[in-house]
Amino acid sequence: MKTYNILICLNHLSYRAGGVSTHIIDLCKEYENISEIGKVVVACEWGERIDTLSLLKKTSYAKATFWSDGMSPKGILNSYRQLQKIVKEEGIDIVHVHSQRLLFAAHLLKVRNGIPYLWTNHIDDIPQSKLFKVMCRVMKFPVISVSQQLRRFMVEEYGCNPNRVFVVNNGTDLDKLTPLSVEEIKSLHEEYHIDTDKTPYIICELSRISPIKGQLKLLQAVNNLEEKSKVKILIAGSVDDQYKEYFDELENYAKDNSLNVEFLGFSEPRNVFGVSNLFVLPSIYEGFPLVCIEALAMGCAVIRTKTPGWQEMQEWVTCIDKDNEDALIEAIRGTINNSFNAEMTKAGQMAVKQLFTKEQCAQNTLAVYKKLVGV
């Protein structure tokens, strides 16, 4: 049986990378159970989640300065040399990059060393330079898109070869999303200052704190509800220095409008979704937001914008147009009045177990690897 040694490359493995780093860690964990995967090397520059890799038998870490090198000619050459060194030392068969800035170095490796590569594109918010579009057409990058909408975006906007763009939806680790016990719920209610007698409606938002994710839009929408005094809002997510002013704006808005908001910082999805009725993601850009799948897996109703990935889950979540404040308000009000869409959410919970697991994601990714090497 043929086995494949995989080099996974990204800029950093941190909470700042959000769902991308979670996706890669889950992928590496699942590769442990696939006999056709020989070993995995994860190369990046930094990240507080790197230590997680040391718990895996097949996976190791290689430090690489992809983030610092950038996309200048000198930076691309430096990245290529690092890729070449790791490939030679580790006997790598396939290079799997998760950053646009590594594409040119990976392509150069393919041309000069014959090592196949592919790029997983996780979001539609990528620079639309004329040069990059030309490169997509000429170099015919093999791409994994994490949703059908993102695939169309890559083909129609960037001119990628449709035969070289594959769809692999993200998958979640259901073992980390088991129901909370009564004792756990009681403890989390105390930690999050939840009093369900006073605020029976628990609405959460879980993502990195950034204007792109739309936390302020959620606060503004709740502020326009007649039921706002009965709403407790949980905002969970890490704050980078570059968004400290935005975070201050969130805190000030909540205070000025007497909203009952708890800012949790980075939090485990199981804990947040396990005590919430509704998860709202009013983001501007996405690829296939894993966090929506995690919410459904925990039986939490979901409202999200029509960013990539919405069509795959539209049967089980409420989808609204981006930047439509009235639609967001009505969606929240309607969900509250409809018992948090209990039947639809239950159906979504079952669908996640059938369609969006990390096991399926890993197997589908392996199938793309095989196509790249002609198996």
Short mmCIF file of all heavy atoms in Angstrom, two decimals, residues 71 97 99-104 107 117 119-121 123 126-145 150-165:
data_model
loop_
_atom_site.label_atom_id
_atom_site.label_comp_id
_atom_site.label_asym_id
_atom_site.label_seq_id
_atom_site.Cartn_x
_atom_site.Cartn_y
_atom_site.Cartn_z
N MET A 71 5.98 38.04 0.07
CA MET A 71 5.81 37.63 -1.32
C MET A 71 6.71 38.41 -2.28
O MET A 71 6.46 38.43 -3.49
CB MET A 71 4.34 37.77 -1.73
CG MET A 71 3.41 36.80 -1.00
SD MET A 71 1.69 36.93 -1.54
CE MET A 71 1.81 36.34 -3.23
N VAL A 97 -0.25 23.70 1.07
CA VAL A 97 -0.11 25.04 1.64
C VAL A 97 -1.48 25.61 1.98
O VAL A 97 -2.47 25.33 1.31
CB VAL A 97 0.66 25.99 0.69
CG1 VAL A 97 2.02 25.42 0.34
CG2 VAL A 97 -0.12 26.30 -0.57
N SER A 99 -1.75 29.07 2.68
CA SER A 99 -1.53 30.51 2.60
C SER A 99 -1.21 30.89 1.16
O SER A 99 -0.38 30.24 0.51
CB SER A 99 -0.38 30.93 3.51
OG SER A 99 -0.03 32.28 3.29
N GLN A 100 -1.87 31.91 0.69
CA GLN A 100 -1.65 32.38 -0.68
C GLN A 100 -0.20 32.77 -0.91
O GLN A 100 0.35 32.53 -2.00
CB GLN A 100 -2.56 33.58 -0.94
CG GLN A 100 -2.38 34.23 -2.31
CD GLN A 100 -3.01 35.60 -2.36
OE1 GLN A 100 -3.63 36.04 -1.41
NE2 GLN A 100 -2.85 36.28 -3.48
N ARG A 101 0.45 33.31 0.10
CA ARG A 101 1.82 33.81 -0.08
C ARG A 101 2.82 32.68 -0.32
O ARG A 101 3.95 32.93 -0.72
CB ARG A 101 2.25 34.66 1.10
CG ARG A 101 2.42 33.91 2.41
CD ARG A 101 2.97 34.82 3.49
NE ARG A 101 2.08 35.93 3.78
CZ ARG A 101 2.47 37.05 4.37
NH1 ARG A 101 3.73 37.22 4.72
NH2 ARG A 101 1.61 38.01 4.64
N LEU A 102 2.43 31.43 -0.10
CA LEU A 102 3.33 30.30 -0.31
C LEU A 102 3.15 29.64 -1.68
O LEU A 102 3.90 28.72 -2.03
CB LEU A 102 3.11 29.25 0.78
CG LEU A 102 3.59 29.63 2.18
CD1 LEU A 102 3.09 28.63 3.21
CD2 LEU A 102 5.10 29.72 2.21
N LEU A 103 2.17 30.10 -2.44
CA LEU A 103 1.86 29.46 -3.72
C LEU A 103 3.03 29.48 -4.70
O LEU A 103 3.34 28.47 -5.33
CB LEU A 103 0.64 30.12 -4.36
CG LEU A 103 -0.72 29.52 -3.99
CD1 LEU A 103 -1.83 30.36 -4.58
CD2 LEU A 103 -0.83 28.09 -4.49
N PHE A 104 3.67 30.62 -4.81
CA PHE A 104 4.73 30.75 -5.81
C PHE A 104 5.93 29.89 -5.45
O PHE A 104 6.55 29.26 -6.31
CB PHE A 104 5.13 32.22 -5.97
CG PHE A 104 4.01 33.09 -6.44
CD1 PHE A 104 3.39 33.99 -5.58
CD2 PHE A 104 3.54 32.99 -7.74
CE1 PHE A 104 2.34 34.77 -6.01
CE2 PHE A 104 2.50 33.78 -8.18
CZ PHE A 104 1.88 34.67 -7.31
N HIS A 107 4.97 26.32 -6.17
CA HIS A 107 4.98 26.06 -7.62
C HIS A 107 6.41 25.92 -8.14
O HIS A 107 6.70 25.07 -8.98
CB HIS A 107 4.26 27.18 -8.36
CG HIS A 107 4.08 26.91 -9.82
ND1 HIS A 107 3.09 26.06 -10.30
CD2 HIS A 107 4.75 27.36 -10.91
CE1 HIS A 107 3.18 26.00 -11.62
NE2 HIS A 107 4.18 26.78 -12.01
N TYR A 117 1.88 19.82 -5.28
CA TYR A 117 1.40 20.68 -4.20
C TYR A 117 -0.05 21.04 -4.46
O TYR A 117 -0.58 20.87 -5.56
CB TYR A 117 2.24 21.96 -4.13
CG TYR A 117 1.97 22.91 -5.28
CD1 TYR A 117 1.09 23.98 -5.13
CD2 TYR A 117 2.56 22.72 -6.52
CE1 TYR A 117 0.82 24.84 -6.19
CE2 TYR A 117 2.30 23.57 -7.58
CZ TYR A 117 1.43 24.63 -7.41
OH TYR A 117 1.16 25.48 -8.46
N TRP A 119 -3.17 24.06 -2.77
CA TRP A 119 -3.47 25.18 -1.87
C TRP A 119 -4.91 25.04 -1.40
O TRP A 119 -5.82 24.91 -2.21
CB TRP A 119 -3.27 26.49 -2.64
CG TRP A 119 -3.83 27.73 -1.99
CD1 TRP A 119 -3.80 28.06 -0.67
CD2 TRP A 119 -4.49 28.83 -2.64
NE1 TRP A 119 -4.39 29.29 -0.45
CE2 TRP A 119 -4.82 29.79 -1.66
CE3 TRP A 119 -4.82 29.10 -3.97
CZ2 TRP A 119 -5.47 30.99 -1.95
CZ3 TRP A 119 -5.47 30.29 -4.27
CH2 TRP A 119 -5.78 31.23 -3.27
N THR A 120 -5.12 25.06 -0.09
CA THR A 120 -6.48 25.18 0.43
C THR A 120 -6.76 26.65 0.68
O THR A 120 -6.08 27.30 1.47
CB THR A 120 -6.65 24.39 1.75
OG1 THR A 120 -6.62 22.98 1.45
CG2 THR A 120 -8.01 24.70 2.37
N ASN A 121 -7.77 27.15 -0.01
CA ASN A 121 -8.20 28.54 0.16
C ASN A 121 -9.38 28.55 1.12
O ASN A 121 -10.42 27.94 0.85
CB ASN A 121 -8.60 29.15 -1.18
CG ASN A 121 -9.04 30.59 -1.04
OD1 ASN A 121 -8.65 31.27 -0.10
ND2 ASN A 121 -9.88 31.05 -1.95
N ILE A 123 -10.98 31.41 2.43
CA ILE A 123 -11.80 32.62 2.52
C ILE A 123 -11.83 33.34 1.18
O ILE A 123 -10.93 33.18 0.35
CB ILE A 123 -11.24 33.55 3.63
CG1 ILE A 123 -12.26 34.61 4.04
CG2 ILE A 123 -9.92 34.16 3.21
CD1 ILE A 123 -11.88 35.34 5.32
N ILE A 126 -9.36 37.64 -0.48
CA ILE A 126 -7.96 37.56 -0.86
C ILE A 126 -7.67 38.66 -1.88
O ILE A 126 -8.55 39.07 -2.64
CB ILE A 126 -7.59 36.18 -1.46
CG1 ILE A 126 -8.52 35.82 -2.62
CG2 ILE A 126 -7.67 35.11 -0.39
CD1 ILE A 126 -8.19 34.50 -3.27
N PRO A 127 -6.45 39.18 -1.90
CA PRO A 127 -6.12 40.28 -2.81
C PRO A 127 -6.40 39.92 -4.27
O PRO A 127 -6.03 38.84 -4.73
CB PRO A 127 -4.61 40.49 -2.57
CG PRO A 127 -4.36 39.93 -1.22
CD PRO A 127 -5.32 38.78 -1.06
N GLN A 128 -7.06 40.82 -4.97
CA GLN A 128 -7.41 40.55 -6.35
C GLN A 128 -6.48 41.32 -7.30
O GLN A 128 -6.93 42.07 -8.16
CB GLN A 128 -8.87 40.92 -6.62
CG GLN A 128 -9.86 40.11 -5.78
CD GLN A 128 -11.28 40.29 -6.24
OE1 GLN A 128 -11.56 40.46 -7.42
NE2 GLN A 128 -12.22 40.26 -5.31
N SER A 129 -5.19 41.10 -7.15
CA SER A 129 -4.23 41.77 -8.02
C SER A 129 -4.26 41.13 -9.41
O SER A 129 -4.54 39.95 -9.57
CB SER A 129 -2.82 41.66 -7.44
OG SER A 129 -2.36 40.32 -7.50
N LYS A 130 -3.95 41.94 -10.41
CA LYS A 130 -3.93 41.45 -11.78
C LYS A 130 -2.87 40.36 -11.94
O LYS A 130 -3.08 39.37 -12.65
CB LYS A 130 -3.67 42.60 -12.75
CG LYS A 130 -4.81 43.61 -12.84
CD LYS A 130 -4.50 44.71 -13.84
CE LYS A 130 -5.66 45.70 -13.94
NZ LYS A 130 -5.37 46.80 -14.90
N LEU A 131 -1.73 40.55 -11.27
CA LEU A 131 -0.65 39.57 -11.37
C LEU A 131 -1.09 38.21 -10.84
O LEU A 131 -0.84 37.18 -11.47
CB LEU A 131 0.57 40.06 -10.61
CG LEU A 131 1.77 39.07 -10.54
CD1 LEU A 131 2.27 38.76 -11.95
CD2 LEU A 131 2.88 39.64 -9.67
N PHE A 132 -1.77 38.22 -9.70
CA PHE A 132 -2.18 36.96 -9.12
C PHE A 132 -3.21 36.26 -10.01
O PHE A 132 -3.19 35.03 -10.16
CB PHE A 132 -2.75 37.17 -7.72
CG PHE A 132 -3.10 35.89 -7.00
CD1 PHE A 132 -2.12 35.00 -6.63
CD2 PHE A 132 -4.42 35.57 -6.73
CE1 PHE A 132 -2.43 33.81 -5.99
CE2 PHE A 132 -4.75 34.39 -6.09
CZ PHE A 132 -3.75 33.51 -5.71
N LYS A 133 -4.10 37.03 -10.60
CA LYS A 133 -5.08 36.42 -11.49
C LYS A 133 -4.41 35.80 -12.70
O LYS A 133 -4.80 34.71 -13.16
CB LYS A 133 -6.11 37.47 -11.94
CG LYS A 133 -7.06 37.91 -10.83
CD LYS A 133 -8.11 38.89 -11.35
CE LYS A 133 -9.10 39.27 -10.27
NZ LYS A 133 -10.15 40.17 -10.75
N VAL A 134 -3.40 36.48 -13.23
CA VAL A 134 -2.66 35.92 -14.36
C VAL A 134 -1.96 34.63 -13.94
O VAL A 134 -1.98 33.63 -14.68
CB VAL A 134 -1.62 36.94 -14.89
CG1 VAL A 134 -0.70 36.27 -15.90
CG2 VAL A 134 -2.33 38.13 -15.52
N MET A 135 -1.37 34.63 -12.75
CA MET A 135 -0.68 33.44 -12.27
C MET A 135 -1.63 32.26 -12.11
O MET A 135 -1.28 31.11 -12.39
CB MET A 135 0.01 33.73 -10.93
CG MET A 135 1.15 34.72 -10.99
SD MET A 135 2.53 34.17 -12.06
CE MET A 135 2.26 35.19 -13.51
N CYS A 136 -2.86 32.54 -11.64
CA CYS A 136 -3.86 31.47 -11.49
C CYS A 136 -4.17 30.81 -12.83
O CYS A 136 -4.32 29.59 -12.92
CB CYS A 136 -5.14 32.03 -10.88
SG CYS A 136 -5.04 32.38 -9.10
N ARG A 137 -4.24 31.64 -13.88
CA ARG A 137 -4.56 31.10 -15.20
C ARG A 137 -3.37 30.36 -15.80
O ARG A 137 -3.52 29.29 -16.39
CB ARG A 137 -4.99 32.23 -16.13
CG ARG A 137 -6.33 32.86 -15.76
CD ARG A 137 -6.73 33.92 -16.79
NE ARG A 137 -8.06 34.44 -16.53
CZ ARG A 137 -8.32 35.49 -15.76
NH1 ARG A 137 -7.32 36.13 -15.17
NH2 ARG A 137 -9.57 35.90 -15.58
N VAL A 138 -2.19 30.92 -15.64
CA VAL A 138 -1.00 30.36 -16.28
C VAL A 138 -0.48 29.13 -15.53
O VAL A 138 -0.18 28.10 -16.14
CB VAL A 138 0.11 31.42 -16.39
CG1 VAL A 138 1.41 30.79 -16.91
CG2 VAL A 138 -0.33 32.56 -17.30
N MET A 139 -0.38 29.24 -14.22
CA MET A 139 0.21 28.16 -13.43
C MET A 139 -0.78 27.05 -13.10
O MET A 139 -0.38 25.96 -12.70
CB MET A 139 0.80 28.74 -12.14
CG MET A 139 1.96 29.68 -12.37
SD MET A 139 2.66 30.28 -10.80
CE MET A 139 4.02 31.28 -11.40
N LYS A 140 -2.08 27.35 -13.22
CA LYS A 140 -3.12 26.34 -12.98
C LYS A 140 -2.94 25.69 -11.60
O LYS A 140 -2.87 24.47 -11.47
CB LYS A 140 -3.11 25.28 -14.09
CG LYS A 140 -3.39 25.84 -15.47
CD LYS A 140 -3.36 24.77 -16.53
CE LYS A 140 -3.63 25.36 -17.91
NZ LYS A 140 -3.58 24.34 -18.98
N PHE A 141 -2.90 26.55 -10.58
CA PHE A 141 -2.76 26.06 -9.22
C PHE A 141 -3.83 25.02 -8.89
O PHE A 141 -5.01 25.26 -9.14
CB PHE A 141 -2.91 27.21 -8.20
CG PHE A 141 -1.93 28.32 -8.35
CD1 PHE A 141 -2.35 29.63 -8.35
CD2 PHE A 141 -0.57 28.05 -8.45
CE1 PHE A 141 -1.44 30.68 -8.46
CE2 PHE A 141 0.35 29.08 -8.55
CZ PHE A 141 -0.09 30.40 -8.57
N PRO A 142 -3.46 23.88 -8.33
CA PRO A 142 -4.49 22.98 -7.79
C PRO A 142 -5.00 23.54 -6.47
O PRO A 142 -4.21 23.94 -5.61
CB PRO A 142 -3.73 21.66 -7.59
CG PRO A 142 -2.31 22.06 -7.43
CD PRO A 142 -2.11 23.32 -8.21
N VAL A 143 -6.31 23.62 -6.32
CA VAL A 143 -6.90 24.32 -5.17
C VAL A 143 -7.97 23.45 -4.51
O VAL A 143 -8.79 22.84 -5.20
CB VAL A 143 -7.56 25.65 -5.61
CG1 VAL A 143 -8.16 26.38 -4.41
CG2 VAL A 143 -6.56 26.54 -6.34
N ILE A 144 -7.95 23.42 -3.20
CA ILE A 144 -9.09 22.94 -2.43
C ILE A 144 -9.86 24.16 -1.96
O ILE A 144 -9.31 25.03 -1.30
CB ILE A 144 -8.67 22.09 -1.22
CG1 ILE A 144 -8.20 20.70 -1.65
CG2 ILE A 144 -9.83 21.94 -0.23
CD1 ILE A 144 -7.77 19.81 -0.51
N SER A 145 -11.13 24.24 -2.34
CA SER A 145 -12.01 25.28 -1.82
C SER A 145 -12.91 24.64 -0.77
O SER A 145 -13.39 23.51 -0.96
CB SER A 145 -12.87 25.88 -2.95
OG SER A 145 -12.08 26.69 -3.79
N LEU A 150 -17.15 29.24 -2.77
CA LEU A 150 -15.75 29.65 -2.86
C LEU A 150 -15.10 29.06 -4.12
O LEU A 150 -14.25 29.70 -4.75
CB LEU A 150 -15.00 29.20 -1.61
CG LEU A 150 -13.65 29.87 -1.33
CD1 LEU A 150 -13.80 31.37 -1.27
CD2 LEU A 150 -13.07 29.35 -0.03
N ARG A 151 -15.51 27.85 -4.50
CA ARG A 151 -14.99 27.25 -5.74
C ARG A 151 -15.39 28.11 -6.95
O ARG A 151 -14.58 28.40 -7.82
CB ARG A 151 -15.52 25.83 -5.91
CG ARG A 151 -15.04 25.16 -7.20
CD ARG A 151 -15.68 23.79 -7.41
NE ARG A 151 -15.13 23.16 -8.60
CZ ARG A 151 -15.56 23.37 -9.83
NH1 ARG A 151 -16.57 24.23 -10.05
NH2 ARG A 151 -14.99 22.77 -10.86
N ARG A 152 -16.66 28.51 -6.99
CA ARG A 152 -17.11 29.36 -8.09
C ARG A 152 -16.34 30.67 -8.12
O ARG A 152 -15.99 31.19 -9.19
CB ARG A 152 -18.62 29.62 -7.98
CG ARG A 152 -19.49 28.42 -8.30
CD ARG A 152 -20.94 28.82 -8.48
NE ARG A 152 -21.50 29.37 -7.25
CZ ARG A 152 -22.07 28.61 -6.31
NH1 ARG A 152 -22.13 27.30 -6.46
NH2 ARG A 152 -22.58 29.17 -5.23
N PHE A 153 -16.08 31.20 -6.95
CA PHE A 153 -15.31 32.44 -6.83
C PHE A 153 -13.93 32.28 -7.44
O PHE A 153 -13.46 33.13 -8.20
CB PHE A 153 -15.21 32.83 -5.35
CG PHE A 153 -14.35 34.02 -5.07
CD1 PHE A 153 -14.81 35.31 -5.30
CD2 PHE A 153 -13.07 33.88 -4.55
CE1 PHE A 153 -14.02 36.41 -5.04
CE2 PHE A 153 -12.26 34.97 -4.29
CZ PHE A 153 -12.75 36.24 -4.53
N MET A 154 -13.26 31.17 -7.13
CA MET A 154 -11.92 30.94 -7.65
C MET A 154 -11.92 30.73 -9.17
O MET A 154 -11.01 31.18 -9.86
CB MET A 154 -11.29 29.72 -6.96
CG MET A 154 -11.02 29.88 -5.47
SD MET A 154 -10.04 31.35 -5.08
CE MET A 154 -8.54 31.03 -6.01
N VAL A 155 -12.94 30.09 -9.67
CA VAL A 155 -13.02 29.83 -11.11
C VAL A 155 -13.41 31.09 -11.87
O VAL A 155 -12.79 31.45 -12.88
CB VAL A 155 -14.01 28.69 -11.40
CG1 VAL A 155 -14.25 28.55 -12.91
CG2 VAL A 155 -13.50 27.37 -10.83
N GLU A 156 -14.44 31.79 -11.38
CA GLU A 156 -14.98 32.93 -12.12
C GLU A 156 -14.16 34.21 -11.92
O GLU A 156 -13.98 34.97 -12.88
CB GLU A 156 -16.44 33.17 -11.68
CG GLU A 156 -17.37 32.01 -12.06
CD GLU A 156 -18.76 32.16 -11.46
OE1 GLU A 156 -19.01 33.22 -10.82
OE2 GLU A 156 -19.57 31.25 -11.62
N GLU A 157 -13.68 34.45 -10.72
CA GLU A 157 -12.96 35.69 -10.44
C GLU A 157 -11.47 35.59 -10.74
O GLU A 157 -10.84 36.58 -11.12
CB GLU A 157 -13.17 36.10 -8.97
CG GLU A 157 -14.58 36.48 -8.62
CD GLU A 157 -15.04 37.74 -9.34
OE1 GLU A 157 -14.21 38.64 -9.53
OE2 GLU A 157 -16.23 37.81 -9.69
N TYR A 158 -10.90 34.40 -10.56
CA TYR A 158 -9.46 34.25 -10.71
C TYR A 158 -9.05 33.42 -11.92
O TYR A 158 -7.87 33.32 -12.22
CB TYR A 158 -8.87 33.63 -9.44
CG TYR A 158 -8.74 34.64 -8.32
CD1 TYR A 158 -9.82 34.94 -7.50
CD2 TYR A 158 -7.56 35.33 -8.11
CE1 TYR A 158 -9.72 35.88 -6.49
CE2 TYR A 158 -7.44 36.26 -7.11
CZ TYR A 158 -8.53 36.55 -6.31
OH TYR A 158 -8.41 37.49 -5.32
N GLY A 159 -10.03 32.84 -12.58
CA GLY A 159 -9.71 32.08 -13.77
C GLY A 159 -9.02 30.76 -13.51
O GLY A 159 -8.33 30.23 -14.39
N CYS A 160 -9.19 30.21 -12.30
CA CYS A 160 -8.60 28.90 -12.01
C CYS A 160 -9.24 27.83 -12.88
O CYS A 160 -10.43 27.91 -13.22
CB CYS A 160 -8.79 28.55 -10.53
SG CYS A 160 -7.80 29.54 -9.40
N ASN A 161 -8.46 26.84 -13.25
CA ASN A 161 -8.96 25.72 -14.05
C ASN A 161 -9.99 24.95 -13.23
O ASN A 161 -9.68 24.42 -12.17
CB ASN A 161 -7.79 24.80 -14.42
CG ASN A 161 -8.20 23.68 -15.35
OD1 ASN A 161 -9.34 23.24 -15.37
ND2 ASN A 161 -7.25 23.19 -16.13
N PRO A 162 -11.26 24.87 -13.70
CA PRO A 162 -12.29 24.20 -12.90
C PRO A 162 -11.97 22.73 -12.61
O PRO A 162 -12.46 22.18 -11.62
CB PRO A 162 -13.55 24.34 -13.75
CG PRO A 162 -13.07 24.64 -15.13
CD PRO A 162 -11.79 25.40 -14.95
N ASN A 163 -11.17 22.12 -13.46
CA ASN A 163 -10.79 20.73 -13.24
C ASN A 163 -9.71 20.58 -12.17
O ASN A 163 -9.36 19.46 -11.79
CB ASN A 163 -10.29 20.09 -14.54
CG ASN A 163 -11.38 20.02 -15.58
OD1 ASN A 163 -12.54 19.74 -15.27
ND2 ASN A 163 -11.03 20.28 -16.84
N ARG A 164 -9.18 21.74 -11.73
CA ARG A 164 -8.12 21.73 -10.72
C ARG A 164 -8.57 22.36 -9.40
O ARG A 164 -7.77 22.65 -8.53
CB ARG A 164 -6.89 22.47 -11.25
CG ARG A 164 -6.32 21.92 -12.55
CD ARG A 164 -5.32 20.82 -12.28
NE ARG A 164 -4.05 21.38 -11.85
CZ ARG A 164 -3.04 20.62 -11.39
NH1 ARG A 164 -3.19 19.32 -11.27
NH2 ARG A 164 -1.89 21.19 -11.03
N VAL A 165 -9.88 22.61 -9.29
CA VAL A 165 -10.42 23.18 -8.06
C VAL A 165 -11.38 22.17 -7.45
O VAL A 165 -12.41 21.85 -8.03
CB VAL A 165 -11.15 24.52 -8.31
CG1 VAL A 165 -11.61 25.13 -6.98
CG2 VAL A 165 -10.24 25.51 -9.04
#
